[in-house]
Amino acid sequence: MTLEDKLQSLPDQPGVYKMLNKEQEIIYVGKARNLKNRVRQYFHAESSQSPKVRAMMQSVNDIQTIVTDTEVEALILECNLIKEYHPRYNILLRDDKSYPYIKITLQETFPRVMKTRNMKKDGSRYFGPFTDAGAVNETLDLIRRLFPLKSCSRKIDTESGKIERPCLNYHIRKCLGPCQGNQHHAEYLKMIQQVELLLSGKETELQRQMRLDMQQASEQLDYETAARIRDQLRALQKLTEKQKMDSGKEQDQDVIATAVNEEETYVQVFAVRDGKIVRQHHYSMRTNGEEDAGQVLSSFLKQFYDQAQMIPSEILIEYPVEDQELIEDWLTDKRQRKVIVRIPQRGEKKNLVNLVKKNALIQLQQREKTRHNKDEARQYILQQLQEITNAEQPPIRIESIDISHTAGVESVGALVVFEQGKPAKKHYRKYRIRSVSGPDDTGSIEELLIRRITGALKEGREITAGSRPVQHIKNAILPDLFLIDGGVGQVSTAERVLRERQLSIPVMGMVKDDRHRTRWLLFKGQKIDLQTFPKMWHFISAIQEETHRFAISFHQQRRSRQLTQSELTKIPGVGEKRRRMLMHHFKNVEALKRANVQEISAVPGISKGLAKNITAFFVKNSSTGKEEIE
């Protein structure tokens, strides 16, 4: 079906639409109350479209739709698809997967409180996401000082009454020893509930409960417990005294404002709980200054609250957003209580939004200044390299090479790329060394460079001939500087390879001292002491470590795969020939492990009985196999 046919047959129902390019990559995801009307607008309102939308429409080659029963369902599905595919033309939260959470393992008999970056549907309760990992660590430290909770992963059987040997935390009074039967389950769960109050910003309610507990313990002449609660209460009061604002109203709000420059929209969120500012978040949205402010804020609200575990009763924002009523309905459904999105025009709430806006502008200015300083430092280092190599311009593109092997076995090469002084990971390359046997680093570097240059020249000829589109360049761009992890032998080999191919690209060797630290650059037979160039020293060290890390990880991956695949020959009836057939069919051991008997027996030469033996082998050795894969 052609694109025109799809436009004609679009349903007039709510749902989600996906824009795809020629490579069938999803480049945009949107939701609509009426799919037919919304999608057709992209093709009939070209003159009124922003430059970003016009650029996107030039790449659109296909459209796919998913019909939903309601517009709220479409909004939820849109959030999930954006999170999964990260489409190029959607407004995205940067680094959203790296934000930490505080996790309470409520599914355990005696729950633990910990930091995590992976939120799962495992019965735990999550608080966050937090943009400041340091603040998470400080909060966890406070929780551990206030509440002597279990931190080990030991499972405690409350029914059997089994007593186990306690760990060090029990002896230093950081745990009350539930494994010893020294703490009732109900008392422990009460502490967990108090932790939830603290993380929810309900310090006032928490203090009230703690005063009652202290009074009760005192009346029962349990002075030790009363003293412990008193100390906890004092520590908690110190924390709440640091809060800057108290409106006097016990109200839960999130206050959101933005600051914009040409590259990003910076979003500041103040979490107000019981009338106090208890937490400050900041996020960066990938924008280019062309997007409507309401669209950006709408995208933020959907992505932020899709992950948030705490949704307040009121969200204050600075201007109207797309789908405001729809977002309210969605958040109300998530919270199971009414949520209002409000744009205050005057009074205390307006002043609060202005305060958050002011903070967002200050933070953005600081980010721009920091970024500018880093850019200046990088340019200074590149100019130093230009002077040392006597080049016509600073080395915009630097390629670094390292070889990794174990006593000459399974040699691999790694090529790491830095552009404008920053890692360009999409250009990193891995090489399996084929022509060299034994621990021969110079021979391995020669092979890697020959393959790198041959690929570049071939691709350049294809682009010149028109058989390869310019946008599909992978290897054609050669660097302004090669860095080789090694000394005289490695550098002279690289120089010879380049000279034989009439390429005048400078080559430098990165040499370490006897403490295995980057110390010198080797250029044209001269050692350059990096201690005299402190900023360059740090820069070259970072490149050498990154190249070494990339090479080592690839080498370990190769060896792990070999070891795991060789395990297959331990299965009765599986020899080298059948091992190769299984790997050819399933591509990797992980896929083979996931296969059932019927799928394995579909491989030529593998009977149903042998397929049963293979699945039984993986079940029996599941823990061992997992360690080897990792």
Side-chain angles (χ1 to χ4, degrees):
M1 184 183 291
T2 64
L3 186 58
E4 186 61 36
D5 292 334
K6 288 190 176 184
L7 289 174
Q8 294 297 327
S9 59
L10 286 168
D12 53 357
Q13 299 176 52
V16 170
Y17 57 92
K18 297 179 284 186
M19 305 283 198
L20 293 85
N21 61 15
K22 290 181 180 179
E23 287 75 33
Q24 289 298 293
E25 296 171 332
I26 297 174
I27 59 175
Y28 185 78
V29 173
K31 63 115 190 74
R33 181 179 301 170
N34 185 307
L35 285 167
K36 179 184 288 186
N37 295 343
R38 181 70 186 97
V39 175
R40 282 183 171 181
Q41 285 179 0
Y42 285 99
F43 294 87
H44 300 301
E46 189 173 333
S47 59
S48 60
Q49 291 172 351
S50 68
K52 178 180 175 180
V53 174
R54 287 200 295 271
M56 179 185 79
M57 294 310 296
Q58 290 175 2
S59 302
V60 172
N61 188 59
D62 193 11
I63 295 172
Q64 296 176 357
T65 60
I66 302 174
V67 173
T68 59
D69 289 331
T70 66
E71 198 176 355
V72 172
E73 287 180 4
L75 185 146
I76 295 169
L77 180 57
E78 178 195 33
C79 288
N80 292 336
L81 292 174
I82 290 172
K83 188 165 56 177
E84 181 176 356
Y85 294 108
H86 290 80
R88 177 182 175 185
Y89 288 98
N90 281 98
I91 303 168
L92 301 174
L93 268 175
R94 286 182 171 171
D95 300 323
D96 54 328
K97 289 188 177 178
S98 67
Y99 295 138
Y101 294 82
I102 291 178
K103 172 181 178 179
I104 303 180
T105 58
L106 295 177
Q107 75 276 20
E108 296 178 357
T109 308
F110 287 85
R112 293 169 292 152
V113 182
M114 63 185 72
K115 180 173 74 173
T116 182
R117 292 181 184 270
N118 300 310
M119 191 168 65
K120 303 175 183 177
K121 293 182 179 179
D122 56 359
S124 299
R125 185 174 183 189
Y126 294 83
F127 293 86
F130 299 90
T131 51
D132 186 353
V136 174
N137 294 332
E138 287 178 10
T139 303
L140 287 173
D141 184 58
L142 174 68
I143 289 170
R144 292 182 186 117
R145 283 190 283 117
L146 290 177
F147 306 103
L149 295 169
K150 181 173 84 76
S151 59
C152 65
S153 58
R154 180 184 295 175
K155 294 182 179 178
I156 300 174
D157 188 352
T158 54
E159 294 182 2
S160 67
K162 180 182 176 183
I163 295 177
E164 299 186 37
R165 183 178 179 181
C167 62
L168 178 64
N169 281 344
Y170 170 73
H171 295 292
I172 61 176
R173 304 186 67 79
K174 287 191 174 182
C175 175
L176 296 181
C179 59
Q180 288 278 290
N182 293 341
Q183 188 174 28
H184 293 299
H185 188 230
E187 291 176 356
Y188 189 94
L189 291 183
K190 186 172 183 178
M191 282 201 297
I192 290 295
Q193 290 170 358
Q194 291 177 334
V195 171
E196 291 182 283
L197 286 174
L198 176 63
L199 293 173
S200 302
K202 305 290 184 181
E203 289 96 345
T204 304
E205 171 61 20
L206 176 56
Q207 289 182 37
R208 187 188 68 80
Q209 286 190 14
M210 292 175 75
R211 287 192 185 95
L212 288 174
D213 291 343
M214 182 174 65
Q215 183 179 352
Q216 185 178 3
S218 180
E219 290 172 354
Q220 295 174 356
L221 306 183
D222 186 357
Y223 297 119
E224 184 178 352
T225 300
R228 177 171 56 81
I229 298 173
R230 178 202 63 201
D231 293 342
Q232 292 173 340
L233 193 55
R234 285 175 179 172
L236 185 60
Q237 286 170 336
K238 277 188 178 181
L239 172 73
T240 54
E241 283 169 5
K242 293 178 182 178
Q243 301 300 339
K244 183 178 178 182
M245 186 211 82
D246 188 341
S247 66
K249 299 176 182 178
E250 293 189 2
Q251 189 170 12
D252 292 349
Q253 300 166 315
D254 279 352
V255 189
I256 303 172
T258 61
V260 184
N261 65 13
E262 294 179 355
E263 297 179 0
E264 64 180 342
T265 295
Y266 190 79
V267 187
Q268 188 88 292
V269 183
F270 278 16
V272 180
R273 302 293 180 261
D274 284 341
K276 299 183 182 70
I277 297 176
V278 299
R279 199 171 296 119
Q280 176 184 359
H281 298 292
H282 46 85
Y283 299 88
S284 176
M285 303 287 287
R286 188 182 71 193
T287 58
N288 58 12
E290 296 176 359
E291 292 85 354
D292 176 76
Q295 291 177 332
V296 175
L297 192 49
S298 175
S299 295
F300 173 78
L301 291 173
K302 288 183 276 189
Q303 293 178 65
F304 177 71
Y305 287 108
D306 182 51
Q307 294 292 323
Q309 299 301 299
M310 288 295 299
I311 301 174
S313 59
E314 186 175 62
I315 300 169
L316 304 181
I317 57 178
E318 52 185 326
Y319 38 71
V321 299
E322 287 185 332
D323 310 316
Q324 185 167 321
E325 292 183 6
L326 187 63
I327 291 171
E328 284 183 343
D329 293 342
W330 168 57
L331 293 177
T332 297
D333 185 58
K334 281 196 73 171
R335 186 173 182 259
Q336 295 297 300
R337 279 183 289 172
K338 182 65 177 174
V339 177
I340 298 173
V341 179
R342 203 184 298 277
I343 304 104
Q345 302 299 315
R346 63 184 67 85
E348 183 183 309
K349 292 181 179 179
K350 176 64 175 176
N351 293 336
L352 189 52
V353 172
N354 290 340
L355 173 66
V356 179
K357 177 79 171 180
K358 181 179 179 180
N359 277 270
L361 288 167
I362 291 171
Q363 291 282 351
L364 183 61
Q365 289 167 2
Q366 290 175 347
R367 283 166 65 91
E368 288 175 337
K369 186 176 180 180
T370 301
R371 189 182 296 121
H372 178 71
N373 291 341
K374 286 182 177 179
D375 288 342
E376 280 192 339
R378 280 191 287 262
Q379 288 304 313
Y380 175 72
I381 293 165
L382 296 180
Q383 286 170 5
Q384 284 185 318
L385 287 170
Q386 176 191 2
E387 292 172 6
I388 291 171
T389 58
N390 198 26
E392 294 182 1
Q393 63 179 18
I396 304 302
R397 181 182 174 109
I398 298 172
E399 294 188 6
S400 175
I401 294 169
D402 191 16
I403 304 297
S404 180
H405 56 76
T406 303
V409 177
E410 194 62 42
S411 290
V412 298
L415 185 143
V416 161
V417 180
F418 276 62
E419 290 183 339
Q420 296 285 4
K422 294 183 285 188
K425 294 193 175 184
K426 66 179 180 180
H427 296 308
Y428 285 16
R429 294 289 180 268
K430 302 172 182 176
Y431 294 85
R432 288 175 57 192
I433 303 302
R434 301 166 183 156
S435 63
V436 175
S437 60
D440 183 358
D441 284 1
T442 55
S444 299
I445 285 173
E446 180 176 6
E447 180 191 324
L448 189 156
L449 268 176
I450 290 172
R451 287 167 60 185
R452 167 73 181 99
I453 294 165
T454 302
L457 297 177
K458 179 185 175 185
E459 199 171 280
R461 288 193 297 269
E462 290 173 351
I463 291 170
T464 302
S467 58
R468 177 187 285 269
V470 176
Q471 59 266 32
H472 292 167
I473 287 178
K474 289 184 178 179
N475 301 303
I477 302 173
L478 286 168
D480 303 303
L481 172 66
F482 273 117
L483 292 175
I484 309 294
D485 192 324
V488 175
Q490 289 88 338
V491 172
S492 58
T493 297
E495 288 174 334
R496 175 175 54 79
V497 170
L498 292 167
R499 190 168 56 249
E500 288 173 353
R501 283 150 186 82
Q502 299 180 347
L503 293 171
S504 57
I505 301 173
V507 179
M508 284 182 161
M510 298 178 290
V511 184
K512 293 187 176 182
D513 59 19
D514 54 5
R515 296 175 64 183
H516 211 64
R517 298 180 307 176
T518 306
R519 177 62 187 277
W520 298 281
L521 278 176
L522 187 64
F523 181 63
K524 292 188 175 180
Q526 299 295 318
K527 263 188 176 182
I528 301 162
D529 191 345
L530 286 170
Q531 282 189 319
T532 59
F533 302 94
K535 290 183 179 179
M536 191 198 298
W537 189 6
H538 179 74
F539 177 67
I540 296 296
S541 297
I543 292 179
Q544 189 169 24
E545 289 304 315
E546 173 67 356
T547 313
H548 187 63
R549 178 202 64 80
F550 191 56
I552 286 289
S553 65
F554 181 42
H555 175 64
Q556 290 174 340
Q557 182 185 26
R558 292 285 310 159
R559 280 189 58 79
S560 176
R561 189 178 299 139
Q562 268 199 348
L563 289 170
T564 308
Q565 289 186 11
S566 66
E567 284 290 299
L568 296 179
T569 57
K570 295 180 181 179
I571 304 172
V574 177
E576 185 59 30
K577 184 177 179 181
R578 281 178 172 154
R579 184 193 70 80
R580 286 198 301 268
M581 292 171 67
L582 287 166
M583 287 299 96
H584 177 74
H585 183 84
F586 288 102
K587 307 303 180 188
N588 57 65
V589 176
E590 283 302 306
L592 176 59
K593 284 183 178 182
R594 292 193 297 268
N596 57 36
V597 171
Q598 186 176 356
E599 291 169 335
I600 296 173
S601 61
V603 178
I606 306 295
S607 65
K608 198 165 186 176
L610 181 55
K612 288 180 180 178
N613 289 343
I614 293 170
T615 55
F617 175 83
F618 285 131
V619 170
K620 182 179 177 182
N621 298 279
S622 58
S623 60
T624 306
K626 196 169 186 180
E627 289 171 6
E628 288 172 345
I629 285 290
E630 291 171 353

